[in-house]
Amino acid sequence: MTLKNIPANNNANKPSAKILVVDDEQLLQYIIQQRFRHQIRAKEYIFDYAPNGVIAIEKLQTDGTFDMVLTDINMPEMDGLTLLNKIMEIDLTLKAVVMSAYGDMENIRTAMNRGAFDFLIKPIDLDDLEITITKTLAFIEQTRARQQELDTARERLKHQAFYDSLTGLPNQILFLDRIRQCLSREQKFAILSLDVERYRLIKSSLGRTIGEQLLVEMVERVRHCMPSNATLARTGSDEFAILLDRVCNEKDIHLIAESIHQSLSTPFAIEGEIVSSTTRIGIASSDADCEQAEDYLQAADTAMESAKKKGMGSTAFFDRQMHSVAIKQLQLEADLARAISSDELILHYQPIVSLASEKIVGFEALVRWQHPIRGLILPGEFISVAEKTGLIVPLGKWVLARAIRHLSRWRSQFPHFSDLTVSVNVSGLQLFTPDFVEILENLLQQDNVQGDILKLEITESVLIDNAEAAKMVFQQLKQQNIQLCLDDFGTGYSSLAYLHNLPIDMLKIDRSFINSMLASQRNLRLVNAILNLTESLGLQAVAEGVETSEQVQKLRELNCQFAQGYFFDRALPSHEILPLLEREAMVIEN
Ligand code: C2E
Ligand code: MG
Ligand code: MG
């Protein structure tokens, strides 16, 4: 409804139009009343009158319900042309039609330039007047409808830009703005950063709808633990943040964090499923003395990362030491980007041995970083950084290229080892880059070798979120005869569904199982069960982290085919592999 007046007893679909007639001639008032009496009775039109521009302005300013103005030009106190200027200032959607006996070109042009919608020459032809009124009102209605649509769209966009559509909470942009307001008021505040534990797993196993419903219900519970003036925002897919702009003593903040943990400790019942998820809370207060809003949120996130190490349902306050750890992390990120391009990465190779023949059947390529200042850095310190920053993609490509090159050389140099394979660890991000398979094909082609030279090691966690996508990539890899190993088996979710649905060739039993295998019957039974499982599924098994001859003996008894570990060899630099293979070849020949 765009015309402004909706009379009580009128047809609800038809608002009445309110028209202000500005003319010093009383006669016009009489003529209009006569001509439009039906419409006036039906409350289709409401007419009001002003004898000059000054009174017209007063009326328009005090009563904002007018839709159009019909004005004479020549009037005492303020003429119609001056009135036109003023109307534009009052309401841009208000339209004026000028009526004048002075219908010369100059008057018409001035009126039009000042925003008049139309011009009628006196004496007024009443049919023409009616048409003009109808036409003007239709135009006004259209303009206002369009304006309303624009306003709604603008509101919607504004909402989308600052609010999360699922929970209706402010998003990170708005949240940062609220922190900025606290900073500009030099007011004490605290920020709590929360994550939703196991959100990805819940979403992938129970479905998106349940995952999202969980977030909505968690938000409800968290809200009840906060003071009413606090701001709760969704700052990431499974991350929330709270701004407390009054509470700032550590004890009170702790109480709030505790009550949040408490409120989330009861599982949620969602669509017939019982779902439990807790949170970890990182806290940074205005005492952290950062420079910008972003830095405070970052500080709370850093504290949350540290809470993660403490386990489920924990809380950590930000301190300066965490800050220096975070800085070191940033430095590492920057250094790693350079390392990839400036050849600081190297590959070590750890032999994988057949337990039956004790022959080396392949190597696992393990990346190391030869840091110019810090010396050799192991992957445990930089792979997660590479994954977080996306650098894992170029890094992984480099590893693949280098490993394929080395292996193809060793194969051709040693006829005894013409079926040696190389196992390369592939991270999720890398596996799902759209050109992953194509890159691999090119690398194999460049070195003139077949896919069977290569085994790709993938951890279960990669498959949790992406079972379907993984299946597609795996099928393409199988077409190239590339073998697929599930790495660190037993440490993740070890779902039989993966083994059943995906074309996997090999399991690598995690080091932790082998380690503890001889310490308890239970652990031994576990390793035995995994080996039985691999056998019945027609898969091969590699025991990781084999360190003692007792372990070797036991694994042989349990029919494990392959092993890898310090008992045989550590991961060796590539230049030590040739002599190693030479020695092995001599043993075989003799
Ligand atoms: P992983 O794939 O499970 O590799 C086995 C790790 O166990 C290696 O550690 C290896 O040196 C170590 N290891 C081997 N035998 C023994 C043993 O008898 N005892 C003990 N205690 N440890 C043993 P590393 O080289 O530090 O690699 C750690 C992890 O880093 C790897 O675990 C893998 O997940 C990742 N990684 C290594 N290179 C790459 C790579 O090129 N790309 C990706 N995405 N990840 C990599
Ligand atoms: Mg591995
Ligand atoms: Mg492993």
Side-chain angles (χ1 to χ4, degrees):
M1 210 143 307
T2 47
L3 288 178
K4 291 178 178 171
N5 301 282
I6 308 162
N9 61 346
N10 202 0
N11 176 348
N13 293 325
K14 193 138 176 63
S16 51
K18 193 162 173 182
I19 302 161
L20 180 62
V21 183
V22 191
D23 201 324
D24 52 343
E25 272 179 56
Q26 287 284 321
L27 184 62
L28 184 67
Q29 189 168 335
Y30 175 74
I31 293 171
I32 285 178
Q33 289 293 115
Q34 280 303 310
R35 170 71 191 211
F36 295 103
R37 62 186 179 283
H38 297 301
Q39 288 97 325
I40 293 171
R41 211 173 298 130
K43 299 228 158 84
E44 210 175 298
Y45 292 158
I46 303 168
F47 286 97
D48 196 355
Y49 302 91
N52 60 51
V54 175
I55 295 177
I57 293 292
E58 263 174 35
K59 289 199 174 209
L60 291 172
Q61 272 169 343
T62 49
D63 175 355
T65 64
F66 285 100
D67 297 298
M68 75 173 276
V69 175
L70 274 169
T71 183
D72 187 17
I73 291 185
N74 270 357
M75 292 178 293
E77 299 202 36
M78 184 194 285
D79 65 22
L81 293 175
T82 315
L83 174 64
L84 283 176
N85 273 343
K86 305 270 180 197
I87 287 176
M88 295 239 277
E89 287 164 22
I90 296 171
D91 179 352
L92 274 176
T93 66
L94 204 59
K95 286 282 166 255
V97 171
V98 175
M99 316 168 287
S100 174
Y102 304 96
D104 58 88
M105 223 24 215
E106 198 185 322
N107 262 340
I108 293 176
R109 278 200 58 80
T110 313
M112 291 308 194
N113 284 341
R114 295 184 183 189
F117 184 71
D118 208 343
F119 203 105
L120 296 170
I121 311 281
K122 282 182 174 177
I124 301 282
D125 173 335
L126 288 173
D127 289 338
D128 194 14
L129 175 63
E130 188 167 352
I131 291 168
T132 306
I133 289 179
T134 313
K135 186 181 75 181
T136 311
L137 287 173
F139 179 80
I140 291 168
E141 196 170 353
Q142 253 181 26
T143 317
R144 288 193 180 142
R146 216 174 304 131
Q147 187 61 40
Q148 208 167 42
E149 272 170 28
L150 275 175
D151 288 348
T152 322
R154 207 171 290 137
E155 268 310 304
R156 211 173 34 232
L157 276 178
K158 208 165 112 189
H159 201 271
Q160 278 168 2
F162 296 115
Y163 290 87
D164 166 49
S165 60
L166 174 70
T167 57
L169 294 176
N171 63 11
Q172 180 162 317
I173 300 172
L174 189 53
F175 189 74
L176 287 171
D177 193 57
R178 300 267 161 91
I179 303 177
R180 273 180 216 115
Q181 285 174 20
C182 288
L183 288 171
S184 68
R185 289 197 294 260
E186 295 185 4
Q187 175 188 343
K188 292 246 176 204
F189 61 87
I191 295 162
L192 279 65
S193 184
L194 295 75
D195 73 340
V196 180
E197 276 171 25
R198 303 185 312 130
Y199 178 60
R200 284 192 324 159
L201 176 64
I202 291 166
K203 222 170 66 177
S204 64
S205 53
L206 300 177
R208 192 184 192 87
T209 319
I210 292 191
E212 291 185 340
Q213 191 57 32
L214 171 72
L215 291 188
V216 172
E217 296 199 12
M218 280 182 110
V219 163
E220 254 338 282
R221 289 197 195 170
V222 170
R223 222 196 276 274
H224 279 106
C225 307
M226 304 168 5
S228 56
N229 58 352
T231 304
L232 173 62
R234 186 173 181 199
T235 46
S237 94
D238 59 352
E239 284 177 358
F240 294 90
I242 300 173
L243 173 65
L244 301 171
D245 61 0
R246 296 278 145 74
V247 194
C248 51
N249 92 53
E250 203 163 301
K251 201 168 133 235
D252 293 341
I253 300 170
H254 241 304
L255 283 177
I256 293 172
E258 267 322 296
S259 76
I260 292 174
H261 286 313
Q262 190 65 36
S263 77
L264 299 178
S265 62
T266 320
F268 297 81
I270 302 168
E271 296 190 4
E273 300 279 352
I274 301 295
V275 189
S276 67
S277 177
T278 51
T279 180
R280 281 158 295 209
I281 304 179
I283 303 168
S285 76
S286 39
D287 296 339
D289 209 16
C290 303
E291 293 212 335
Q292 295 182 357
E294 286 84 351
D295 303 335
Y296 283 98
L297 187 56
Q298 180 63 51
D301 284 346
T302 306
M304 185 181 70
E305 290 300 324
S306 142
K308 274 185 187 171
K309 294 186 193 122
K310 292 207 248 171
M312 300 240 195
S314 47
T315 303
F317 266 86
F318 175 78
D319 63 39
R320 280 282 139 197
Q321 202 201 337
M322 287 177 191
H323 185 61
S324 56
V325 171
I327 295 280
K328 252 173 94 180
Q329 187 78 0
L330 280 177
Q331 185 62 45
L332 194 74
E333 282 174 27
D335 282 0
L336 184 58
R338 190 209 56 228
I340 299 171
S341 52
S342 58
D343 246 4
E344 288 173 21
L345 298 180
I346 53 170
L347 285 186
H348 280 188
Y349 292 91
Q350 186 173 36
I352 298 174
V353 173
S354 153
L355 281 173
S357 66
E358 294 211 0
K359 223 181 110 172
I360 295 177
V361 292
F363 296 96
E364 176 169 4
L366 293 157
V367 67
R368 274 94 182 90
W369 178 2
Q370 191 68 62
H371 193 281
I373 299 164
R374 294 179 53 197
L376 197 70
I377 307 180
L378 289 176
E381 212 180 313
F382 61 88
I383 289 292
S384 62
V385 176
E387 278 171 341
K388 212 172 77 197
T389 52
L391 285 171
I392 194 72
V393 176
L395 184 152
K397 186 177 167 189
W398 179 89
V399 171
L400 278 166
R402 189 55 64 97
I404 293 173
R405 171 113 345 141
H406 276 146
L407 246 287
S408 63
R409 273 199 219 142
W410 296 335
R411 265 192 179 197
S412 56
Q413 274 172 293
F414 293 94
H416 286 299
F417 292 106
S418 59
D419 51 2
L420 269 187
T421 59
V422 64
S423 303
V424 176
N425 296 284
V426 175
S427 93
L429 200 60
Q430 192 189 355
L431 186 72
F432 297 120
T433 44
D435 54 356
F436 178 68
V437 180
E438 196 185 318
I439 287 175
L440 259 181
E441 284 171 11
N442 289 339
L443 291 176
L444 292 167
Q445 231 168 38
Q446 273 170 25
D447 285 307
N448 205 16
V449 283
Q450 301 295 311
D452 63 2
I453 198 171
L454 200 58
K455 291 189 162 91
L456 299 184
E457 297 196 1
I458 291 133
T459 56
E460 287 169 275
S461 57
V462 169
L463 308 179
I464 294 172
D465 280 349
N466 311 293
E468 275 314 303
K471 194 170 177 178
M472 274 170 51
V473 182
F474 283 7
Q475 277 161 353
Q476 286 171 282
L477 294 169
K478 290 308 302 172
Q479 282 170 9
Q480 301 286 321
N481 279 331
I482 294 169
Q483 291 199 46
L484 299 166
C485 311
L486 214 48
D487 202 356
D488 306 341
F489 187 77
T491 56
Y493 303 98
S494 306
S495 162
L496 294 179
Y498 304 136
L499 302 182
H500 184 67
N501 287 327
L502 297 170
I504 289 163
D505 303 281
M506 193 173 239
L507 296 188
K508 294 193 83 171
I509 308 172
D510 190 64
R511 192 164 76 223
S512 56
F513 289 92
I514 307 303
N515 221 317
S516 56
M517 180 174 73
L518 297 176
S520 83
Q521 277 300 315
R522 190 177 166 275
N523 292 342
L524 188 60
R525 278 200 297 271
L526 259 173
V527 174
N528 192 20
I530 298 176
L531 286 168
N532 286 338
L533 175 76
T534 45
E535 196 181 340
S536 57
L537 289 170
L539 307 178
Q540 294 186 318
V542 185
E544 283 185 326
V546 177
E547 294 183 354
T548 66
S549 57
E550 290 81 6
Q551 290 167 346
V552 173
Q553 184 57 32
K554 194 40 103 184
L555 288 164
R556 271 206 193 101
E557 283 170 29
L558 298 177
N559 283 331
C560 177
Q561 294 117 313
F562 304 104
Q564 169 183 0
Y566 297 166
F567 176 77
F568 304 100
D569 256 314
R570 290 181 176 256
L572 305 166
S574 56
H575 67 261
E576 289 187 29
I577 300 296
L578 274 184
L580 172 72
L581 289 176
E582 268 164 15
R583 279 198 304 275
E584 287 262 328
M586 266 164 49
V587 174
I588 295 167
E589 278 164 17
N590 297 326

